[in-house]
Amino acid sequence: AAAPAQIALALREVCFSYPGQAQRALEAVSFQAAPGEHIAILGRTGCGKSTLLQLLTRAWDPQRGEILLNERPLGTLGEATLRRSIGVVPQRVHLFSATLRDNLLLAAPDADDEALAAMLRRVGLEKLLDGSGLNGWLGEGGRQLSGGELRRLAIARALLHDAPLLLLDEPTEGLDAATESQILELLAEVMRGKTVLMVTHRLRGLARFDRIIVMDNGQIIEQGNHADL
Ligand code: ATP
Ligand code: MG
């Protein structure tokens, strides 16, 4: 199952509550993303931004409404197709207790060592190659990564994965200004030609997005481009 070259996304009246929760985390969320469109998602903490992204990866399924990828319901896509179609930089990046190589290979099982090392240099993580190189052990019993390094690792994974739909959950949260602008520069490159949903608290740089969605309390309360809002 090959990934489609481009992805159009449509949500129709999507409602979702977490198991055992009476209150809805998402309430009748509807919007569309055209192929290659870049959408920023804003809203205060707890309003449902990460939940929305998680539904797109099928970490959860909505109780009501529809999510369509290229006009096909998400649930009808095979797991392999879904995985190839969607790249994610999650809000909390997971580091496996494994080698540096294996931490990258989960995104691109076929990549060779040279490609992995080149990618580490591209995202500014060449320092991790010092010592044992790609055999260096990360996580428990090994090297821990700083917040900025974890973000770069997640972006390296997304770049290696190269999927047509990219979900970015606050990719620069908690970074200093210099690191933030480096990461944003890198992301601008990664995002080119892809359909992107990016959760952000950052108001600077919003003009570069085709559309801005503002959420509150599980709902979309505003939608438009930078000039409209
Ligand atoms: P932030 O900006 O702080 O990351 P967010 O907009 O991403 O916030 P979500 O993480 O989507 O918010 O959470 C939306 C709501 O769902 C919150 O009230 C949260 O407590 C709740 N929630 C999130 N995950 C779960 C879960 N696994 N089980 C139950 N409730 C959850
Ligand atoms: Mg969140």
Side-chain angles (χ1 to χ4, degrees), residues 19-101:
Q21 304 280 312
Q23 198 179 342
R24 283 196 172 141
L26 295 176
E27 179 72 53
V29 169
S30 302
F31 71 91
Q32 297 193 15
E37 191 172 12
H38 292 173
I39 299 180
I41 301 174
L42 272 67
R44 60 182 171 189
T45 184
C47 72
K49 305 180 297 294
S50 296
T51 302
L52 174 62
L53 296 194
Q54 293 213 36
L55 259 61
L56 296 175
T57 65
R58 292 204 72 207
W60 305 97
D61 284 325
Q63 282 90 11
R64 283 191 195 193
E66 268 193 320
I67 303 177
L68 305 169
L69 238 61
N70 289 343
E71 299 181 350
R72 285 187 58 187
L74 208 53
T76 68
L77 297 170
E79 204 182 304
T81 305
L82 196 63
R83 207 164 352 95
R84 288 196 190 108
S85 301
I86 305 179
V88 184
V89 174
Q91 191 165 16
R92 274 169 280 279
V93 180
H94 189 72
L95 188 65
F96 294 93
S97 296
T99 61
L100 176 57
R101 180 187 293 105

Side-chain angles (χ1 to χ4, degrees), residues 68-171:
L68 305 169
L69 238 61
N70 289 343
E71 299 181 350
R72 285 187 58 187
L74 208 53
T76 68
L77 297 170
E79 204 182 304
T81 305
L82 196 63
R83 207 164 352 95
R84 288 196 190 108
S85 301
I86 305 179
V88 184
V89 174
Q91 191 165 16
R92 274 169 280 279
V93 180
H94 189 72
L95 188 65
F96 294 93
S97 296
T99 61
L100 176 57
R101 180 187 293 105
D102 285 342
N103 265 284
L104 291 167
L105 282 181
L106 67 112
D110 300 329
D112 60 26
D113 281 2
E114 219 169 296
L116 297 182
M119 185 56 71
L120 288 170
R121 284 190 282 273
R122 188 166 163 205
V123 301
L125 282 179
E126 57 276 1
K127 209 172 73 180
L128 297 187
L129 290 166
D130 288 355
S132 318
L134 289 164
N135 294 319
W137 196 263
L138 300 184
E140 208 172 317
R143 180 177 191 144
Q144 297 295 332
L145 300 186
S146 72
E149 287 168 341
L150 275 176
R151 295 270 152 203
R152 288 174 196 268
L153 181 75
I155 290 166
R157 285 172 176 160
L159 275 165
L160 286 164
H161 186 47
D162 195 28
L165 173 61
L166 204 52
L167 308 177
L168 307 169
D169 201 344
E170 307 203 46

